[in-house]
Amino acid sequence: VLENYHIASAFKLLNDCPEANLLDVVSQDERVMLRKEMVDSVLATDMSHHFRGVENLKNFVEKLDRDPADWDEEPGAKSQLQMMLLHAADISNPGKPINLSDTWTDLLRQEFYSQGDLEIDLGLPVSPMCDRSVTKFAGSQVGFIQFIVKPTWDVLATISPTVEAVVSSEVATNLKIWKERKVQEDNEENKVAVTLALAETSPAHDREGGRRPSGRAAPEDDEED
């Protein structure tokens, strides 16, 4: 939904503001081609297309390797590369140095939690990763980097040494740090679970719940004379 809205808004801006219409300087045929490429690329950022897009690009890479001439001649190859480059940029935050990546991650986390709060207020089901009361954020980041971000940039790195040297190294660093944070997150969760378990078995809890500690007999009622 958002991707369709974004590209529709972009073309509305081009049509409504002549001074912003970058396509005015190209021919009609070029305008049609550019519009198609823009629409395809933006819609390809939808995560529902992620795994298919990575697999398609991987097939082109295995077939064409790094020769630009081969990519130019192969039907659909450059379009697929273009779509995956934009998608990779869209999920590239773990490819930044950790101090910069953390800044954007914190903003994203607050956006997710704000959405979840609003969904709760409206009586709607809470979207994944948006419930601040149950989300294990470090764990979700590990999964996101390990299964979504890293495989995408790994494919791009096979055709670009610069990607491997600059982006892939940061992705590896981010993944290592988030795995460490996940361990801390799991330890904190375990501490809370143990604390709750101990509280439930404490004598104070038994008295509050109307139960008597084991081994203590109930006082006998006074018998009436």
Side-chain angles (χ1 to χ4, degrees), residues 125-197:
V126 181
S127 300
M129 297 175 60
C130 293
D131 190 339
R132 67 174 73 239
S133 67
V134 299
T135 298
K136 296 176 65 175
F137 198 80
S140 68
Q141 282 296 105
V142 169
F144 177 63
I145 297 173
Q146 190 164 341
F147 300 112
I148 300 296
V149 178
K150 188 177 183 299
T152 303
W153 285 101
D154 283 349
V155 177
L156 293 172
T158 61
I159 56 177
S160 173
T162 302
V163 167
E164 184 173 8
V166 177
V167 182
S168 295
S169 61
E170 295 294 350
V171 170
T173 299
N174 272 263
L175 180 57
K176 179 176 181 294
I177 291 172
W178 279 106
K179 282 183 175 180
E180 293 169 353
R181 291 173 178 174
K182 180 181 182 299
V183 171
Q184 296 174 356
E185 186 179 70
D186 291 342
N187 288 340
E188 288 299 319
E189 184 180 48
N190 290 337
K191 288 179 183 177
V192 171
V194 170
T195 300
L196 291 175

